[in-house]
Amino acid sequence: MSDPAAEPPFPGPTTAEKIRLLPWALFATATNTVFGQFTVFGSVFVLYLSQLGLSNTFIGFLLSLFPFFGLTALFTSAWVARFGYKRTYLTFWSLRKFITAGLLLTPLVLARLGGGAASAWVALCVGGFAICRAIGETGSYPWSQEYIPAGVRGKFAASDNTIGTLASLVSVALAGFVLDRTPGQTGFMALIAVGVVFGLLSVWGTGHLPGGARLAAAEAKQQASLGKLGEALRDRDFVLYLIAASLVTIAWGPLGSFLPLFMEQQAGLTTSQAVWLQTGGLLGGLAAGYVWGWAADRYGGKPVILSGLLLIALTPLAWMLMPRFSPWSPYAALAISLVRGALGLGWGIGSTRLLFVNLVPPEKKTSYMAVNYAWMGAVGGLSTLLGGRLLDLTAGVHGQFWIFTIDPYTLLFVIGLLLPAIAVVLIQAIRTDSRFGVSEFAGMFFHGNPLMAAESLIRYGRARDERAVVSVTERLGQAKSRLIVEELLEALADPRFNVRFEAVLALARMPADARVLAALTEILAGEEPAMSVIAAWALGRVGDPRALPALQAALDAPYRSVQAHSARALGTLEDTASAAHLLERFQTQTDHGLRMAYASALGKLRVTAAVGPLLDFLRTRHDPSARRELALGLARLLGDEQYFIALWRATHGETGTGLAQAVSALLRPLQRAHVLPAAENDWRPQWTACADAFARGQLDEGAAQLRALLEQMPLDAFTLAGQAVLREVAARLAECGAVRLEYLLLALHALHEARQPPGLPVSAPPTIGA
C-alpha cells in the first residue's frame, strides 16, 4: 500500500470548473440581497429602528456592530483556515439567518416587557448576527479569491452587481409597497420573515461553489501567526490601500446609513419615498456596472478607483443643494442617488480587483484578508458609531450660509467631500502593473464616440457568424474610440480573412496608439500580401511617424503590391528622407503599377526634381484614372492641390462650363500679380475668346486658344517646375487638343499657382514660343 503522506495533494479546482460554477455565486447574491434588504441592511432596518424610538446614537451603535466584529478575524483566522473556508462560511452564514429570525419576536417583547427590553432584544439579535457574519466573512474572502479567476474578476463583479441590483430593485420596490400599506410593525415583520427564507436559499446556492478546503493545522497556524499578520502591515502598498479605504468608509459609511433619515427629516420625503430612493442608486449601479467591471479587467483597478473617487466626491454637494420640502425634492434626490450609484460602483469594483489581484498574494491570503477584514471592520464600526453620535450632538444646529442650508447632516456631507479627495492621493501612490493613469483612462471616454463604442462592444461579444462579426467590426472602427482597441486587435487574429481585413480597416480609423502601430507593423511584415497591402495603407492613414521604419523596409518586400502601398504610405506620412530613394526607383522601375505608386508619393513629397520624369510618364499613359492621378501628382509639385481638385470636380459634369469659368476667373489675378504685361486690353480679347469657346462646348477650339495664350505668356513669374509643366502642356495641346483633359487642368492649375519673384523685371520676359 502507498503511503498517504507521500501522495500528492488533491489539486484545486481548474479555471474552467470555477467559471462553470460561477452562476451559483450569482444565485447566492440574488437571494442574499433580498435577505439583506428585507432584514438588517438597507433603509428598511434603519426606519424600523427609528420607529422603535431609538436614538441616532443607539442606531449608530447597532449598525457599528456589523463592522466592529470584523476585529475577530485577527483571532479566528487560523481556526477558520483549519476548519475550512467554505465550511466556515456555510456554517455561520446559516446560523445568522436563524438569529435574524429572532427579530420576529420583537413585537412580543415590546408588548410584554416594554420599549427598553425590545431595544435590548434587537441589540442582542444584531450582536449575534454580527458575530456570525464576521466569522463567515473571514472564510469568504480567502475562498472567493480562490473560486473567482483573476482574469474575469472585473466582469464577474459587474455581473454580480447587476444581479444584486436587480434583486435590490425588486426588494426595495416590494418593501416600499408593503410599508406603505401596513400599519405599525406588521409590514416590517412580514419583510423579515420573507427575508430569512431567501437567506437560507442563498446558503444552499453557495454550497455548490468549488474550493475552500481546509488547511493543515500547522499551515493554518503559520499563515495566521502574528509574524504573518505583521508582514501584511509592513507591506507599503497594502497599508496605503487600507488607509485610503478607511477614509472612504469614514466618509461614506455614515452617509449611507443615515441618508434615509436625512430625507425624512430635512428634505421632506415620506418613509416609502426614502426607501424607494435606494432604487436610484441601484439603477445607477446597474447602468454602469458592466462598464466599470470591463474597465477594471482591461485597465486595472487603480484607474477605475481614481476615476470613481474623483467624480463621486462631488455628490455630497448635490445633497446639500437639493430642494427641500418641495414637490421636486423626491425627483432631485432620486437623480442624485442615480449618479451616486453609477459612480460609487467604480470604487467598489476597482478596489475589489486591486485588493484581490494586485495587493494580496494568494499564498498569504489568510493573513492579508484577516488584517483587511479586521481593519475595515474597526474603521466601519467607528465611522457608523461616531456618525450617529455626531448627529445627536448637532441635533440643534440650523442656519444658512450663502447657498447652503446648515443642519445636523452638514458636517457629514463635508466629511464625505474631503476624505475621498485625500484617498485619491494615497491610491495614486500605490504601485501596480497598470500602464494607464487616471487622466489617460478618463480621456478614453472623451475620444471618438464612447456611446457607439459601448454599444458596439456589446454587439461584438454577441456576434457569431462572419457577416455579423464583419459588420460590428466596421462599427467598432467608426466609433474611433481607444476603448475598443483590444477587440480590434483580437479581430486581427480571427481565422476568417474578411474579419481580419475589416479589422485593419477599422484600426486605420483609430487615433495613433502604440498597440495599433505594433499590430499593423507585424501584419505589414507578414507573408499574407493581401493583408500586408491594407496594413501599409492603414499605417499611412493613421498618420504616425513611428511607422516610417517599417514602411521603408517594406519597399523591399517580396510582393510588388506591398512595395507599392508602402511607397504611397510614405508619401502620405511626408517622409522626405525617402524622397531621393523613391525618385531613383521611379526612374529605374519598369513595372507600371509600382511607378504609379512612386509617382504619387513623389507628388505628395513635392520632389520638384521629379517633374520631368513625371511628365514623360504621363505622356505614355492611356488609362484615364492613371492619367488623372499623375496629373494630381504634378499639381502637388506646383502648389496646393485644393484648386486642382475643385477644378476637376467643376469639369467632371459640365466640362466646357467648368473650364470657361476657370479661364475667366484667372485673367484679373494674373494681371494683378504682374504675370501678364501691364496693358489689360492686350490680353482680354484672346482670354475672352478662349473662355467663350469652352462655354460653347467647343473644347478643341478652347484648347487651341489656351495653347496660343500659353505660347505668348512670359514664364518668369513661374517656378522652374511650373515652366516645365506649361511647356509640356502647350506641346501636348498642339498634339491632341482637348482629348487629354488632364493637360487642360494642369495648365489652369499652373496659372493659378503663378508668382512674381521679387525684384525680377517684367519687361521682355521669355515665353514658350521663344
Side-chain angles (χ1 to χ4, degrees):
M1 294 181 63
S2 62
D3 182 7
E7 294 180 0
F10 180 76
T14 64
T15 300
E17 183 183 1
K18 294 175 185 177
I19 293 176
R20 180 176 61 83
L21 295 174
L22 278 180
W24 283 110
L26 300 179
F27 171 82
T29 294
T31 49
N32 194 59
T33 298
V34 177
F35 164 76
Q37 292 291 348
F38 282 0
T39 57
V40 296
F41 299 110
S43 302
V44 171
F45 190 58
V46 175
L47 294 170
Y48 175 57
L49 296 178
S50 180
Q51 189 182 85
L52 289 176
L54 303 183
S55 67
N56 288 332
T57 299
F58 193 71
I59 293 175
F61 165 74
L62 290 179
L63 297 179
S64 71
L65 293 179
F66 300 134
F68 262 141
F69 277 107
L71 288 167
T72 60
L74 296 175
F75 311 103
T76 61
S77 57
W79 178 85
V80 168
R82 290 197 305 271
F83 191 66
Y85 299 122
K86 179 177 180 177
R87 188 159 56 162
T88 298
Y89 180 83
L90 295 178
T91 300
F92 286 90
W93 226 242
S94 300
L95 185 57
R96 75 173 194 163
K97 305 302 187 295
F98 293 107
I99 293 175
T100 304
L103 291 172
L104 297 173
L105 300 176
T106 304
L108 180 63
V109 175
L110 180 64
R112 295 195 175 185
L113 302 177
S119 299
W121 175 251
V122 170
L124 182 64
C125 291
V126 170
F129 177 94
I131 293 174
C132 293
R133 175 178 180 268
I135 298 174
E137 289 195 340
T138 301
S140 74
Y141 278 97
W143 182 28
S144 66
Q145 189 187 34
E146 181 180 351
Y147 70 72
I148 303 174
V152 299
R153 181 167 289 276
K155 292 179 181 177
F156 172 78
S159 300
D160 193 60
N161 171 77
T162 300
I163 295 296
T165 298
L166 291 173
S168 293
L169 285 170
V170 175
S171 302
V172 170
L174 287 175
F177 177 84
V178 170
L179 295 180
D180 213 23
R181 286 163 175 76
T182 53
Q185 298 185 37
T186 305
F188 291 107
M189 294 299 101
L191 293 174
I192 291 173
V194 173
V196 169
V197 174
F198 275 88
L200 292 173
L201 286 174
S202 87
V203 175
W204 174 74
T206 309
H208 292 80
L209 296 172
R214 63 182 181 177
L215 301 181
E219 183 182 0
K221 184 177 181 180
Q222 192 270 340
Q223 283 203 20
S225 66
L226 291 177
K228 289 295 181 182
L229 297 177
E231 182 180 338
L233 290 173
R234 289 191 296 272
D235 186 327
R236 170 188 175 274
D237 292 329
F238 182 63
V239 172
L240 283 175
Y241 166 82
L242 291 178
I243 298 174
S246 300
L247 294 175
V248 174
T249 300
I250 294 171
W252 297 349
L255 278 180
S257 299
F258 294 104
L259 192 61
L261 299 182
F262 167 80
M263 291 299 163
E264 272 194 316
Q265 299 168 7
Q266 304 296 327
L269 273 66
T270 64
T271 299
S272 60
Q273 287 174 336
V275 171
W276 284 332
L277 185 60
Q278 284 183 268
T279 60
L282 296 172
L283 288 172
L286 182 64
Y290 177 82
V291 176
W292 286 124
W294 167 82
D297 279 339
R298 174 158 299 182
Y299 305 112
K302 182 175 175 179
V304 170
I305 290 173
L306 294 174
S307 300
L309 282 179
L310 287 170
L311 294 171
I312 200 173
L314 299 176
T315 54
L317 282 176
W319 294 124
M320 296 171 69
L321 296 173
M322 66 171 286
R324 305 186 183 200
F325 296 95
S326 162
W328 294 102
S329 296
Y331 303 105
L334 185 64
I336 299 170
S337 180
L338 183 73
V339 173
R340 184 178 179 83
L343 299 178
L345 199 60
W347 162 260
I349 290 178
S351 61
T352 300
R353 192 184 193 283
L354 181 66
L355 177 66
F356 282 89
V357 177
N358 299 108
L359 298 180
V360 176
E363 67 278 5
K364 302 176 182 178
K365 60 185 178 183
T366 300
S367 56
Y368 271 70
M369 289 304 182
V371 171
N372 172 72
Y373 191 67
W375 181 304
M376 297 311 301
V379 172
L382 283 173
S383 68
T384 305
L385 186 62
L386 295 177
R389 183 58 179 163
L390 185 64
L391 288 177
D392 281 340
L393 291 175
T394 57
V397 174
H398 294 283
Q400 187 76 25
F401 174 73
W402 193 33
I403 59 174
F404 299 101
T405 299
I406 308 301
D407 56 46
Y409 296 86
T410 301
L411 190 55
L412 289 183
F413 290 138
V414 172
I415 293 173
L417 178 66
L418 296 179
L419 293 190
I422 302 174
V424 166
V425 178
L426 297 176
I427 294 292
Q428 185 68 43
I430 294 177
R431 296 164 297 193
T432 67
D433 55 359
S434 176
R435 64 180 185 273
F436 295 93
V438 63
S439 58
E440 184 179 3
F441 171 72
M444 292 183 181
F445 293 88
F446 296 96
H447 283 91
N449 188 333
L451 295 179
M452 179 186 289
E455 179 262 343
S456 301
L457 281 172
I458 296 173
R459 289 181 56 196
Y460 180 82
R462 296 175 177 173
R464 292 293 180 267
D465 65 273
E466 182 173 349
R467 184 181 296 275
V469 176
V470 168
S471 175
V472 75
T473 302
E474 178 187 15
R475 189 163 177 80
L476 286 172
Q478 292 170 349
K480 299 179 181 179
S481 171
R482 288 193 176 96
L483 295 171
I484 47 81
V485 169
E486 296 294 337
E487 280 68 27
L488 292 179
L489 295 179
E490 177 185 301
L492 287 179
D494 195 289
R496 295 165 291 195
F497 173 82
N498 289 333
V499 174
R500 298 198 307 275
F501 194 90
E502 191 64 48
V504 175
L505 294 176
L507 285 171
R509 302 186 182 98
M510 300 296 297
D513 182 281
R515 295 169 296 167
V516 172
L517 295 175
L520 293 176
T521 298
E522 183 179 353
I523 295 173
L524 176 63
E527 298 179 354
E528 195 172 7
M531 293 295 294
S532 297
V533 163
I534 197 64
W537 168 81
L539 286 169
R541 194 183 191 283
V542 170
D544 195 302
R546 288 176 290 181
L548 290 177
L551 291 168
Q552 292 166 352
L555 290 177
D556 296 317
Y559 308 105
R560 291 181 176 180
S561 58
V562 177
Q563 296 176 27
H565 281 77
S566 298
R568 291 180 181 276
L570 289 171
T572 300
L573 293 175
E574 300 180 355
D575 180 29
T576 55
S578 300
H581 186 48
L582 292 171
L583 178 58
E584 178 185 357
R585 283 176 174 257
F586 174 75
Q587 292 175 313
T588 58
Q589 181 59 247
T590 57
D591 182 88
H592 294 320
L594 279 173
R595 296 196 76 196
M596 283 296 303
Y598 296 143
S600 176
L602 291 169
K604 288 185 176 180
L605 295 174
R606 300 195 175 186
V607 183
T608 55
V611 170
L614 288 179
L615 287 170
D616 293 339
F617 191 41
L618 175 61
R619 188 184 314 127
T620 62
R621 294 297 85 214
H622 303 290
D623 178 60
S625 177
R627 295 201 304 245
R628 286 193 294 269
E629 186 176 2
L630 286 169
L632 174 60
L634 285 162
R636 287 170 172 156
L637 294 178
L638 302 181
D640 191 355
E641 70 179 67
Q642 295 182 12
Y643 179 82
F644 183 88
I645 294 299
L647 187 59
W648 172 78
R649 289 175 176 171
T651 58
H652 187 63
E654 294 287 340
T655 304
T657 300
L659 290 172
Q661 291 174 336
V663 169
S664 299
L666 281 173
L667 175 59
R668 192 174 297 276
L670 288 173
Q671 289 181 323
R672 283 201 301 264
H674 304 292
V675 174
L676 301 176
E680 179 180 325
N681 292 335
D682 293 341
W683 293 96
R684 180 173 293 278
Q686 289 177 277
W687 214 270
T688 302
C690 177
D692 288 345
F694 283 132
R696 293 192 301 271
Q698 298 172 350
L699 301 186
D700 285 332
E701 173 64 21
Q705 293 280 1
L706 180 59
R707 176 179 61 82
L709 287 169
L710 294 178
E711 290 176 344
Q712 300 173 46
M713 191 176 299
L715 301 181
D716 58 337
F718 297 89
T719 62
L720 294 177
Q723 294 177 23
V725 168
L726 288 174
R727 288 193 178 97
E728 176 68 11
V729 166
R732 300 285 74 77
L733 291 179
E735 177 183 303
C736 55
V739 174
R740 299 283 295 267
L741 178 62
E742 68 273 8
Y743 283 116
L744 291 171
L745 301 183
L746 270 177
L748 296 174
H749 182 77
L751 293 174
H752 180 266
E753 298 296 327
R755 63 176 177 82
Q756 170 64 43
L760 188 68
V762 296
S763 58
T767 64
I768 292 177

